[in-house]
């Protein structure tokens, strides 16, 4: 039986990105993933109750705000909790998540100024998954 891999749905081509698009990986990488893993897609932002499309959001410390200045932290936390529930239910020990995302970014995220500046840090979901013992990787660091 293949190992379960929690994966950002946008990396699989699901149109759940804030602007209504996706971040689909190249087909050769998707094929390699499908060959070695049972893929378990999640979109913490959508699953937490945010619409698609939605205003861009960035993390500012423990809070997440969108470009209109609205605090959307609650939706991000709900989405993170649901992603963790899914990971545990599906026996996922590793997660492949979208880099720099305020929910999925691992190790580097945008700084909250909406200027494109990247700083060290984790998105809300990546942080929750790591604290629960999952290995979290971004799409450029994952070995396909």
């Amino acid at each position: 039986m293949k190992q379960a891999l929690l994966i950002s749905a946008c990396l699989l081509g699901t149109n759940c990105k804030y602007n209504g698009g996706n971040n689909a990986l190249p087909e050769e990488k998707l094929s390699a993933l499908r060959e070695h893993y049972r893929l378990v897609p999640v979109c913490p932002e959508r699953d937490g109750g945010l619409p698609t499309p939605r205003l861009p959001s960035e993390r500012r410390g423990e809070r997440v705000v969108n470009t209109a200045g609205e605090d959307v932290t609650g939706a991000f936390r709900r989405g993170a909790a649901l992603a963790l529930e899914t990971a545990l239910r599906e026996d996922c020990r590793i997660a492949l998540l979208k880099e720099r995302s305020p929910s999925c970014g691992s190790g580097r995220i945008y700084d909250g100024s909406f200027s494109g500046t990247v700083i060290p840090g984790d998105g809300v979901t990546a942080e929750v998954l790591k604290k629960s013992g999952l290995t979290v990787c971004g799409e450029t660091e994952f070995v396909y």
Side-chain angles (χ1 to χ4, degrees):
M1 186 158 132
K2 294 179 184 177
Q3 181 180 1
L5 175 71
L6 194 74
I7 185 168
S8 293
C10 64
L11 295 176
L12 295 173
T14 302
N15 292 328
C16 56
K17 189 174 167 180
Y18 75 91
N19 64 5
N22 64 66
N23 296 300
L25 293 170
E27 188 53 44
E28 62 273 7
K29 288 185 178 183
L30 290 174
S31 293
L33 288 173
R34 288 185 186 106
E35 183 178 333
H36 295 96
Y37 297 96
R38 179 173 56 86
L39 304 181
V40 180
V42 294
C43 177
E45 295 176 30
R46 180 196 61 203
D47 298 344
L50 295 173
T52 303
R54 58 189 164 273
L55 292 175
S57 298
E58 292 188 6
R59 193 162 186 188
R60 292 183 182 161
E62 293 300 311
R63 312 303 294 165
V64 182
V65 297
N66 64 24
T67 53
E70 299 167 320
D71 187 323
V72 290
T73 307
F76 276 74
R77 288 187 180 154
R78 280 190 299 278
L82 290 169
L84 177 58
E85 284 179 23
T86 300
L88 296 175
R89 182 180 63 247
E90 299 294 331
D91 196 29
C92 298
R93 294 188 176 97
I94 188 167
L96 173 55
L97 302 180
K98 178 64 189 126
E99 294 173 351
R100 297 178 303 280
S101 159
S103 54
C104 295
S106 176
R108 298 183 55 76
I109 57 172
Y110 292 110
D111 72 350
S113 68
F114 299 97
S115 66
T117 303
V118 178
I119 60 170
D122 289 327
V124 176
T125 297
E127 182 178 89
V128 165
L129 295 176
K130 286 179 177 183
K131 285 181 179 176
S132 296
L134 272 78
T135 299
V136 178
C137 301
E139 68 271 19
T140 62
E141 62 188 358
F142 192 83
V143 178
Y144 293 89

